Structures are given as structure tokens and as C-alpha cells.
Amino acid sequence: MNQSSFFDITNNEARAKVAPLAVRMRPRTLTEFVGQEDIVGEGTWLRRVIAADALSSILLFGPAGTGKTTLARIIAASTQAYFDEVSAIGGTVADLRKSLEAAQNRLAIEGQRTILFIDEIHRFSKSQQDALLHAVEDRIVVLIGATTENPYFEVISALNSRSRIIELTLLSDDEVRVVIERALVDERGLADQYAVSDEVVDAIAHMAGGDARVALTTLELASQLSGMQEEVSQDDKKIITLEMVADAMPSKQVPYDKGGDYHYDIISAFIKSLRGSDPDAAVYWMARMLHGGEDPKFIARRMMIFASEDIGNADPRALLIAEAAFRSAEIIGMPECRIIMCQAATYLSIAPKSNAAIMAIDAALATVRDGSDHGVPSHLRDRHRPGSEGYGKYKYPHSYPGAKVAQQYLPDALEGTKFYQPSDRGWEGQHAT
């Protein structure tokens, strides 16, 4: 089997001894791989093609710590193909073309396939991704691209269509426990030198938020804190306590990527919770975004849009409150603006709902786009021009009781058309006619 710099950290024994626990405990085979049963479990497509050394190009997509790089390592360890890696961070088109040229020569001269692994492939520019197309299409290389970003947004469509997209998901707490327990006893890990209660394992698993790398890093940091203590268990093992775990990772890891899928998924959940009149869910999703470092102005802008799109005239004050939340984010900032934004979110959530405004403007725009050029009725036209004396009589509403008067305002061809269909809720239901 050919090996490359991708494996230096594990092949070099000296470096392996000082490698982080998460690196030392990376699974070496699919048998050791934890989680993702629907992707690599018995009988799955990926497991079968890895076993048959018949892999075609794939894009591995999912959050950090779910096993994307580990899967690439396992494939590399089991294939007869040459395994090459190109860095997507700092790499150039020239670097990529050099690897592709070597792969083409290898195939032509030695008859050997090349598997090309590109971690964080979304960091490649469009021109770099374009440079891959010919080689992937002609099977000069089999591509394994790994990314935390949705490839449908961050990888060019031509590469997507030539690859099988495989989505990895966060591990369950039970799966993370398996990873932790294995690291505690494995010779590559902590080699059964530490006493750890079930409560400690549960705490690490829960706080890791489905990220195996975070769990192992927390375990390693806690073990280092334990090593500073004199207390040992009855088996002469160092004890890892809940306090040490809390010191190693003070707060639960909650996945959120301001530029990735979590960004879009969580803001979507936030808006849908507002629309569904669930203030508790709305506050939770807002907290997830603020905790993840989201710009509060982004959240407040979405609330302003929501106030018109989903509440509208059912409660006209909603737009003013959403605007106040935006101003607080703009002028006050975090952490204080969180209070004002929470007030706005809960108000928007419990406010009566109406989508009449967006339905009305979209219906009117659809009518305008049909190409018809309907003239302005003469009685509504501007009077500051010669010949306006012959226009129809305009009825000034303030001259009539209640400032209302029956009068045609739409073009003749559209007379009687109803674009705005008010709901029967809130202020709109009470005042619209």
C-alpha cells in the first residue's frame, strides 16, 4: 500500500506518543468506527465498496467530530490505490494540477489508481474546484472531499453531480460514551490508568454535543488535571472527577456554524417557532444563535421581516418592536441587547398572525408581471397639466362622512380585484373592511 504525508502523524512512533488523545484513538477499521450506522453499517453501499476497493468519488459532509477524516484514513488503509492528499488551506491551483498530473502518469505508466483526499474542500476557490472536474470525470482520480459546509451551496454543482454526497450526523450520547470508554482502557489511550465513574462519562458525553473529538479532548484535559492530584482509587488509579471535567470544559458544546448549515437550520427553526406561536422554542433557538456567536443584528433583521410577513396588520406594533430590537443590537450590542431581543421575540411569538401583507404584494406583483399596461383612471390622474379639466371627477374622501367614499381606484380591467385579503385576527380583523 502506498502512503503519503497524510499518515505521517501515525506512522512516526515518536510523534504518535505525544499526539492528542483524539488522534491516537482514531479508528483504524470500520469495526472500530463508532456511529453512522446508516452510512457504514453492515450491508451499506459505502461499506461494500470499501471492502471491494471499488470506491467512486464521494463528498463527506457533516459537523466536526463525526468521522469524516477518520473514514478517509480507513479507506486509505484498505485500498490498493495510491492515496494522496492536497491541502485546501493555502493550496494553489498549481499544487492541485501537480497532483493531478502525477495521478495521470501513475495511471498511464503503472496502471495504478489514485484516491485524492481534500479536507475542507469548500475552502477551494471555484477555479480550484473547476480544475478537478476533468480528472474526476475521467476517473484519473477518485475524489474524497470532506467538508463541514453543505456541498450543495459550497461545492460547484459539476463536482456534486460527479460525486456521491454522504451526510454524517452528530453522534448520540450513547455513541460518544462508547468512544470515551474505549479511550479509557485502550493502550493507545489512557491504558486503564484512571478511575472514572459512570456519572463522569455521562457528563463528558452530554457536554460534547455529539462531537467525538471534543469528548476525547475533554477526557484528556481532565486526566491531566487528575494527574496533578495525589488522590488515587483503591486500584491505585488516578481519579477523574466531575469537577475536573467542568474545569476542562466549562460549558456544553452546542454546534453552530455562522456560515454553515447550522446557521441556516437554526434561523429557520427560530422563524418557524415564532410563526408557530411558541415563545419557549423561539427563545431557545435565539439562545443557540447568540451562544454560537451569531451577529445579533442578523437575528433582529429577520425579526423585522417576520413582523411584516407573518404578523402584519394583525398587530401593527410588532414591526415597531422588532425595529427597536434591531436598534438595540446596533447601538447597545451584546450582552445587554439579548434582553431586548428576547422581549421582541416573545412578543412576536404570542402576537396574532396574518400573512395578508406578503400575499397581497405578491399577488399584485404577479398581476404587474403579466405584461398588461393598465392606464390610470382619469379621475385619479395628476391635475397639474394642460387638458386636465376634461378628466373625470375625483371624490375627495375627507369631504364625505367617515372620510370614506365609493370610488374606483384600480384600472378598469382590474376593477373589483382583491389583492389584500385581511385575516380575522387581531387589529386587522377588527378594522379591515
Side-chain angles (χ1 to χ4, degrees), residues 23 43 81 117 143 168 289-290 358 362:
V23 172
F117 174 65
L143 172 67
L168 286 75
M289 289 185 282
L290 293 175
I358 187 173
D362 284 353

Side-chain angles (χ1 to χ4, degrees), residues 167-187:
E167 183 175 1
L168 286 75
T169 57
L170 291 167
L171 304 185
S172 69
D173 283 1
D174 286 340
E175 289 167 341
V176 176
R177 285 187 194 95
V178 173
V179 173
I180 297 167
E181 290 166 352
R182 182 179 296 169
L184 283 167
V185 299
D186 196 294
E187 288 299 321

Side-chain angles (χ1 to χ4, degrees), residues 47-62:
R47 194 180 188 103
R48 294 199 310 271
V49 297
I50 291 174
D53 197 9
L55 185 71
S56 57
S57 293
I58 58 174
L59 294 174
L60 302 173
F61 151 51

Side-chain angles (χ1 to χ4, degrees), residues 396-409:
Y396 185 56
H398 292 286
S399 299
Y400 295 84
K404 290 185 178 181
V405 59
Q407 185 171 213
Q408 179 183 332
Y409 291 98

Side-chain angles (χ1 to χ4, degrees), residues 28-108:
R28 297 158 294 189
T29 65
L30 287 177
T31 302
E32 294 180 356
F33 194 84
V34 177
Q36 316 302 339
E37 282 296 313
D38 57 333
I39 295 171
V40 295
E42 292 293 339
T44 58
W45 172 82
L46 186 57
R47 194 180 188 103
R48 294 199 310 271
V49 297
I50 291 174
D53 197 9
L55 185 71
S56 57
S57 293
I58 58 174
L59 294 174
L60 302 173
F61 151 51
T66 52
K68 299 183 295 298
T69 303
T70 295
L71 270 178
R73 284 177 55 85
I74 291 171
I75 291 167
S78 62
T79 185
Q80 295 301 310
Y82 185 89
F83 197 92
D84 193 13
E85 178 188 11
V86 173
S87 173
I89 303 174
T92 65
V93 173
D95 296 330
L96 182 58
R97 285 177 176 159
K98 184 178 179 179
S99 287
L100 296 179
E101 184 179 352
Q104 188 165 9
N105 292 336
R106 200 176 294 118
L107 185 62

